[in-house]
Structures are given as C-alpha cells and as structure tokens.
Amino acid sequence: MAHRLRIHLCVTVALIASPALAQGQETPQDGDIVVTATRTETLASKTPIALTAIGAEGLRDAGISNPTQLADVVPNLSIDRANGLQITIRGVTSTDGTEKGDPSAAFLLDGVYIARPQAQEVSFFDIERVEVLRGPQGTLFGRNTTAGAVQVISARPLDHFAASFDAAYGNFDAIQATAMVNVPVTSGFALRGAVNYDRRDSFVIQSPTSPFKLDPAKNNLSARLSALLELGPDVSLLVKGDYSRIKGRPAHSVRLTNFFTRPFTPGGQPQYVDLGSTRQRMRLHNDGTPSFTDNDTWGVSAELNWAFGPVTMTYLGSYRELERHEGGPQDFGLPTAFVGVFDGEYWQNSQELRFAFDNDGPLTGQVGGYYFKEKSGIGAFILNPPFVPGALAYGFPQDPTIAESKAVFGQLSYELVPGLKLTGGVRYSHDLKSRVGQTVIIFPAPVGQIPTQQNNARRTFSKVTWRAGVDYDFGDTLLYATVSTGYKAGGFNDGCEAGTATGCALPADILYYDPETLTAYEGGIKTRFADGAVRLNASVFHYDYKGLQLSFQSNSCGGPCQITTNAGAAKVDGIEVEASLHPHPNHRFDFGVNYLDARYDRFIPRPGIDFAGRDLDRSPALTASAGYNFTLELGNGGRIEANARIRLSDSYVLTDYAVPVQFRQPSFHKTDLALTYTAAEDRYYVQLYAKNLENVITLSNLSAQNGTSATFADPRTYGVRAGFKF
C-alpha cells in the first residue's frame, strides 16, 4: 500500500491545485496576506514561522466551513471529533478533553484562548482568516501550545455600509446560512453583526432495528456582534460578543469491527478489512437510548490599542461561559446499551496586556503579562450501571475544578545589518490546578448516595519557555532558523493522595502526572521568483518531546474512568514543502509534500510491551496535496473558476493505550472539486462543490474496550453554495 502511495505522489505532484492559502492570494498586487502570528501584524512571507493562513475567499473555495476541514489544506494537521475537538500538529496531540484536561494545541478566537474543546466546533462564519501555526508557541502564546496554535480571526467592522447573505445545501440534508450587516454609525464608530445556522444529518447509518433517530447530528445557531470605536488617530477599541447554541444527536461512532478483525491483542496491530464505505458507516448494535446535545456558549471580549509614539499598548480581555447538557448510550458490549448523562457549567476569564515598540531602528520587541482562570462544575452519571447490580446510577459529581495560569513574557529582535535579524524571547508561566469531587453510587432509598472515592487534588506547576532565532531577508527570499520550547502543565487523575483525608490511599506519583515539554529545532525558507509567479515555502524540523501526556479510558476505578500518564519521550523529524505556480492570470498550480517521522523514543505502556520506535498517533510518514485552478474572465465582468484538489496520505496508527494496541489506517487519497460563477464586482456567486469524491472512510478515533467503538472523518459530501453582497 505504501509503495502505491508513493507512485501516486510522483504522478500527481504536477497536478496540484489549492484554494487561496498561505501563499496569500487575498492581496493580488503582491500575492501576500497579513497575519498576526507574532502578535503584531506582519506579512506571511516575512514571518519566520511555519504557518498556513487562509482568507475568507480561500475558506469558501476550499469548502471549509468548520475546523475539522482545515486538515484538508494544512500540512501535518489533524482535527478530529472526539470529546470535542482533538487537534494534532506534527504528531503532537492531547487525548484528554475532560474538565481537568488541556489540549496540546491552542484554539484561539480573535486572540482569546478557548479552553474547552466542546466549544470549538462551531461553523466558520463571517471570518477574515484562519491561521495555523506549526511548532511550539510557548513565548508569545504561552498556554498549551506544545503542538502549535489554530487562530480564528473574525471580520472587523468597516467604515462603510456592507451586507451579505450566503447559503449552502448539500447531501445529508446539510444546510448552512449566514447573514451579515455592517453599519457605520458615525465617523469613527461602526457596528457589524452576523448570524449563522448550521445543520446536518448524521454520517452514521442507524441500525434498522433501532427505534432511535440519529438526525440531525448537529443543529447549531450562532451570532456575533462587533463594535469598533476609533477614539483618535492612535486609539481604537474593538468589542465583540458571540453566542452559539450547539444542539443535535452526536452519535458519531460504530463498532470497531467495521474496520478491523479480532483479536485485539495487547501490543499487536490487528488486521484491517475494507468492507466498503456503506458497511463501515453502519451502526448494527442496539443503542438502548437516544443521544442528545443541548449546549450553549457565549463570550465577550475587548481589545484596546493605544499608540504612544513608537510604543503601542494592547489590552485584550475576555469572559466566556459554556453550559453542557448531553446524554446518550454507554456501550459496555452487552446486548443493551446503558444511559449516560452529563451536565456541566464552565466559565473562563482571560486578561492580557502587551507593549510593543518599534522606532524604525534596529531594535523591536514586545513585553506583556497574561492571566487566565477557568472554573467548572460537572456531573457525569451512568444510569442503572451494569457493573453495580441494583444501583440507580454511578457517577462523578465534581465541583469545582479550577485551572489558573499567570505569565509574563518578552521578545526582542535586533537587526545586525540590513536584512539580518536576531530574535530572542522568554516566558515564565505559573499554573495552578485543583479539583474537589467524588465518585459515587446511588441506590434506591433508604440507602441513597454512597461515596466510593474522593476526587480531591491540588498542585502547582511553573516553567520558563524560550525562543531564539535568526532570519535573513534579502528581498524576495526569507531564510530563518529557530530553537523554541513549549510546555503544558501537569495535572491529576481521579482519587486523592494518601494521608490527605479519610479513605485517601493513592501515592502522589499515581494521582498526579507531570508537565510535558517540547524543544523544537527548525530551519526554513520562504521565497518567490519569476516576478512572483513562483512561490516556495519549505521547512525542516526536529523535536525532542518529553513527558507526553497520554489519556485513556479504564475500568480500574471500580467503574469507567479516564487515566492520564506520562509516556517517556518521543522524537519527531520532518520536512514540509509548499509551492505555487501562477504562470498565467487564468491558471494557478499549487502543491505540497510533507515527510514526518514521529516515533516513541521511550514508552512501555505495560510490562513486557515496548513501544520504542513505534509511530505516534495520526502521524503519516508521507502526505501530499495537489491541484489546479482555472479562471475564465467573461465579457460581462463576471468570471468562472474551476478548482480541483487531491490530498494523499500514507497510513497512520491510532492507539488504545488501555489495552494497549495500535490500529493502522491504510493509506488513502481524497479529491475535491468546485465550480464557481462570480458576477461582476463580486455582487453574487453560485458554486457547485464535491468533497472526498472517492467516498473513502478514514478513522479518526477508536476504542478497543467494552463494546468497542470507532469514529470516522466525513464521507463524500456535495452540494451547492450561493451568496450575494451589497
């Protein structure tokens, strides 16, 4: 299979096409795009970081309407639906989406860190651009950026009237609609509002014997209101508020035996079987109960920028809440599934103050401070649990769980000679994590609720992360080399430390797990030549990855619970190459080829089983993308655009660490097509699209325990989009 994949790569590398991506077709005069990857505005081609930036038109042309689809166009990126979103960049990821867990890649909305992965999969609407930063961003972004960061930038209010409406309809009864209006209230004051509706049926085919519906899988409504106030030539205040209602029936999983044959032997790699896309998506077991999601999230943020000559002060403050009400079947491999319910309330508060200075001299930089606090109270229960005869419920009432982070940081750049720049940055972070809670069993009266375990823990962590780099800009070419570090705080498992309270028996090294750290060495080039018709970005990198935090479901707590442990060390080596060729105004070619060697250096998940040398999850050795864009200008001022894109991936593994066993997803390729008519002056457009023409079903998450489960990425989707603006 791998040999066939490499042949495909050689044949298709010349066919490559992609939408307007990091090469920045958003500004045609020089083919660049403005990004904020360094917390100040820079051109993507002049930013010494491995990044991909996609503007609003690029998102539309690529058919990207939610975060999971970014992986179609960004090198070495995987965004999967798990308990919320799981982001993997260059093999670095986190598998703990609970209230006590943290991601390894930060998800930010307008510069604000969104802590809970359950609040991250909302539709992209009225977006200015999306930036994906690869590699640790521990100096300027800080919290939980071991892998990198995904930053979503919503559109800002404008100083003129504007309005638009976009809608799409596709298979799986998918409906998306966005309305936007921008109003200049007075000179220096503008408002912008946008509303989005996002609905889709389930990709899973329900068992014909089940009385429960899986549709709609999602039924979301979101809104955003922004206000921009220019208080003078040097002072601006941007205030944003957003709300999302997240509903649906999120029954995403099927049996793992739809993809692999038993036995699932510890330390082994089970045999993959290709039953075809229809059979792979079938749920043939009895649900036992319907699933539901009824969540709400909202937030407000304020960004104040004030220039004092060569110094600009930026204040960014935010407050957010998430309310979760979820339920569905809990599958223990028995003839009938059991009911699980979850209720949770979360709030987060973040405050950041930065001072950036640039007096047109050789020295530039920024310093700042950051504060973050998240607090939650949750209750998760399994009703009539099969492992406790006679019980009404088994559950985890936890309130409160607290995460608090404080940091100070600074980064300086000095231009030694014209074009040659040295950069150094440092950040000190202090993290507090704590929880008060219990594991309980509820029996009928008069017995009532019986605590079986206290889940009380508290620990602090501190770390200095840093970045050092050199870059040389000689016109159309930027060369750079960096060494950077990332850090994610440690945490705790269920239980309490021996000696801290009655019934507490866990030693500290079992209850708590340590921080994970990463040191990255990277060198790269960003260049253009042939009068800008050819663009090339390339980077080579090596990671020393220590203390990997791996989480898995276990039945070792008297019932189901999640355990996180540190997994020794890993190494990651890779090469990324992206290029675009624009030989004629009507023709554009793009391609990308990526090599990744992400493997465990030391990891023994169970005595007698050694994972040293084995692949990290979601880390295909070779991936490539290719495509072509054709534009036909019409006599009426309109244009027709045809886009074709293919993405190829080598095989990769997914691991159930509790068994432990690795499952290998075979290599595959997916093709996307789009045909768009745009009227003169971009007044309206109509687009036909199709994604994953091959209808290949690729695994995204799995469990080999109890009844087993597997979730998968989107199958073939197709439909029509249209929109107008005035």
Side-chain angles (χ1 to χ4, degrees):
M1 185 70 74
H3 294 299
R4 291 199 297 271
L5 173 64
R6 284 163 174 80
I7 293 172
H8 285 318
L9 294 179
C10 294
V11 171
T12 59
V13 74
L15 301 177
I16 293 168
S18 72
L21 300 179
Q23 279 47 274
Q25 281 82 4
E26 309 304 303
T27 47
Q29 67 272 18
D30 61 6
D32 220 330
I33 185 170
V34 174
V35 297
T36 53
T38 58
R39 309 307 298 269
T40 58
E41 291 189 349
T42 59
L43 294 175
S45 65
K46 302 298 182 183
T47 305
I49 294 174
L51 65 91
T52 299
I54 314 172
E57 290 188 8
L59 293 169
R60 185 200 72 185
D61 293 345
I64 298 173
S65 58
N66 67 72
T68 64
Q69 296 169 331
L70 287 171
D72 296 340
V73 295
V74 177
N76 287 325
L77 173 70
S78 171
I79 302 182
D80 300 302
R81 299 180 185 95
N83 182 18
L85 291 187
Q86 181 180 352
I87 304 173
T88 306
I89 303 176
R90 293 175 171 175
V92 181
T93 193
S94 171
T95 53
D96 189 352
T98 69
E99 78 285 350
K100 63 182 179 61
D102 291 312
S104 293
F107 187 94
L108 302 105
L109 175 62
D110 294 317
V112 175
Y113 172 70
I114 308 297
R116 290 301 101 212
Q118 296 81 11
Q120 295 171 1
E121 193 190 353
V122 293
S123 176
F124 285 158
F125 69 100
D126 198 30
I127 297 298
E128 180 178 312
R129 68 183 181 278
V130 177
E131 302 174 10
V132 180
L133 314 183
R134 301 188 292 279
Q137 309 296 318
T139 302
L140 295 180
F141 288 90
R143 197 167 197 274
N144 302 327
T145 57
T146 314
V150 176
Q151 181 160 219
V152 180
I153 311 296
S154 63
R156 296 165 61 95
L158 305 172
D159 61 0
H160 59 271
F161 178 80
S164 65
F165 179 78
D166 299 84
Y169 181 78
N171 60 330
F172 299 101
D173 204 14
I175 302 172
Q176 286 193 342
T178 299
M180 181 280 294
V181 62
N182 185 99
V183 179
V185 180
T186 62
S187 177
F189 179 45
L191 295 174
R192 186 183 187 103
V195 179
N196 173 264
Y197 177 67
D198 185 10
R199 183 220 182 270
R200 172 180 56 76
D201 283 348
S202 178
F203 295 141
V204 174
I205 300 173
Q206 179 62 299
S207 168
T209 63
S210 175
F212 305 115
K213 294 183 178 180
L214 300 182
D215 304 323
K218 64 176 178 179
N219 189 15
N220 302 342
L221 181 66
S222 302
R224 184 186 304 114
L225 180 63
S226 306
L228 178 61
L229 179 61
E230 301 286 353
L231 300 172
D234 301 319
V235 186
S236 67
L237 176 64
L238 177 62
V239 180
K240 295 187 177 184
D242 65 86
Y243 166 81
S244 291
R245 183 203 69 188
I246 305 171
K247 290 178 176 286
R249 300 183 184 277
H252 303 311
S253 67
V254 296
R255 287 278 197 251
L256 185 55
T257 48
N258 285 16
F259 298 88
F260 294 92
T261 57
R262 292 182 182 271
F264 302 151
T265 307
Q269 290 197 350
Q271 179 67 40
Y272 180 88
V273 290
D274 187 356
L275 301 178
S277 61
T278 300
R279 177 64 180 82
Q280 288 173 330
R281 295 190 292 118
M282 282 187 177
R283 171 177 282 199
L284 298 179
H285 58 282
N286 187 0
D287 294 343
T289 182
S291 63
F292 71 89
T293 292
D294 187 4
N295 299 344
D296 293 271
T297 183
W298 65 271
V300 292
S301 66
E303 180 180 334
L304 175 66
N305 288 282
W306 195 338
F308 303 89
V311 178
T312 298
M313 181 197 77
T314 299
Y315 163 76
L316 179 60
S318 174
Y319 177 83
R320 302 194 62 85
E321 290 191 4
L322 168 65
E323 200 168 303
R324 295 175 61 193
H325 304 286
E326 303 169 6
Q330 301 294 304
D331 188 0
F332 295 99
L334 301 175
T336 300
F338 291 78
V339 180
V341 293
F342 183 98
D343 293 282
E345 295 183 352
Y346 310 75
W347 64 258
Q348 67 170 68
N349 168 32
S350 62
Q351 310 290 326
E352 185 175 45
L353 183 64
R354 303 191 306 269
F355 293 90
F357 56 92
D358 183 355
N359 63 355
D360 295 326
L363 182 66
T364 60
Q366 54 185 302
V367 296
Y370 177 76
Y371 174 79
F372 173 89
K373 184 174 183 179
E374 181 189 26
K375 184 177 180 180
S376 66
I378 67 109
F381 293 89
I382 298 172
L383 307 184
N384 303 308
F387 45 84
V388 187
L392 298 177
Y394 174 90
F396 305 87
Q398 320 291 341
D399 189 6
T401 301
I402 295 174
E404 187 177 42
S405 182
K406 303 173 184 177
V408 291
F409 59 90
Q411 182 164 296
L412 300 175
S413 295
Y414 188 81
E415 192 170 29
L416 296 173
V417 296
L420 180 61
K421 188 181 299 182
L422 296 179
T423 298
V426 64
R427 186 184 191 104
Y428 171 77
S429 300
H430 178 80
D431 292 284
L432 163 69
K433 286 191 172 184
S434 68
R435 182 174 69 174
V436 175
Q438 295 178 322
T439 301
V440 301
I441 301 175
I442 303 176
F443 290 95
V447 178
Q449 179 171 301
I450 299 177
T452 63
Q453 180 176 259
Q454 299 296 319
N455 296 326
N456 300 340
R458 176 187 174 92
R459 181 151 287 194
T460 60
F461 307 89
S462 298
K463 185 68 176 179
V464 174
T465 52
W466 51 270
R467 178 184 183 88
V470 58
D471 61 89
Y472 184 42
D473 182 2
F474 46 98
D476 291 335
T477 299
L478 176 72
L479 297 173
Y480 65 92
T482 62
V483 181
S484 56
T485 60
Y487 144 84
K488 185 172 73 169
F492 43 80
N493 292 301
D494 293 337
C496 53
E497 186 175 353
T500 59
T502 302
C504 295
L506 288 180
D509 60 346
I510 299 297
L511 176 62
Y512 297 102
Y513 55 89
D514 294 329
E516 68 175 24
T517 60
L518 189 149
T519 302
Y521 307 85
E522 184 156 352
I525 181 173
K526 299 183 178 185
T527 186
R528 58 183 178 180
F529 50 91
D531 294 326
V534 180
R535 290 176 168 270
L536 174 68
N537 294 342
S539 61
V540 57
F541 54 89
H542 170 79
Y543 289 176
D544 288 325
Y545 190 14
K546 298 180 180 179
L548 293 73
Q549 296 172 6
L550 299 178
S551 303
F552 54 90
Q553 294 296 319
S554 172
N555 293 319
S556 62
C557 311
C561 62
Q562 180 164 276
I563 293 177
T564 300
T565 184
N566 295 102
K571 304 286 187 184
V572 181
D573 296 293
I575 301 172
E576 297 171 345
V577 180
E578 299 175 276
S580 69
L581 175 63
H582 205 170
H584 186 275
N586 295 348
H587 305 277
R588 187 178 71 244
F589 303 85
D590 296 85
F591 74 87
V593 178
N594 311 289
Y595 167 76
L596 187 65
D597 181 12
R599 71 278 183 195
Y600 292 104
D601 192 36
R602 299 190 313 275
F603 181 36
I604 300 178
R606 178 186 291 188
I609 299 177
D610 191 352
F611 270 28
R614 291 201 184 189
D615 292 345
L616 300 185
D617 282 11
R618 301 174 181 83
S619 303
L622 195 62
T623 57
S625 60
Y628 169 67
N629 173 274
F630 172 73
T631 302
L632 176 63
E633 301 291 344
L634 303 177
N636 63 0
R639 65 184 183 276
I640 295 175
E641 293 182 79
N643 290 277
R645 180 177 179 84
I646 185 169
R647 178 177 180 267
L648 305 100
S649 174
D650 212 339
S651 64
Y652 58 84
V653 299
L654 296 170
T655 306
D656 185 327
Y657 295 100
V659 177
V661 58
Q662 286 191 321
F663 298 84
R664 183 166 292 276
Q665 162 67 50
S667 59
F668 61 89
H669 54 83
K670 299 180 180 181
T671 304
D672 302 337
L673 299 176
L675 181 65
T676 309
Y677 170 75
T678 304
E681 299 179 350
D682 294 342
R683 292 191 308 272
Y684 67 89
Y685 72 92
V686 179
Q687 181 186 77
L688 301 175
Y689 71 89
K691 296 179 69 66
N692 186 10
L693 284 179
E694 297 86 342
N695 200 24
V696 60
I697 306 302
T698 55
L699 287 163
S700 55
N701 272 288
L702 54 80
S703 171
Q705 302 172 75
N706 299 320
T708 77
S709 65
T711 58
F712 50 84
D714 298 3
R716 180 195 297 129
T717 57
Y718 53 86
V720 59
R721 295 188 184 92
F724 64 86
K725 62 182 180 180
F726 53 88

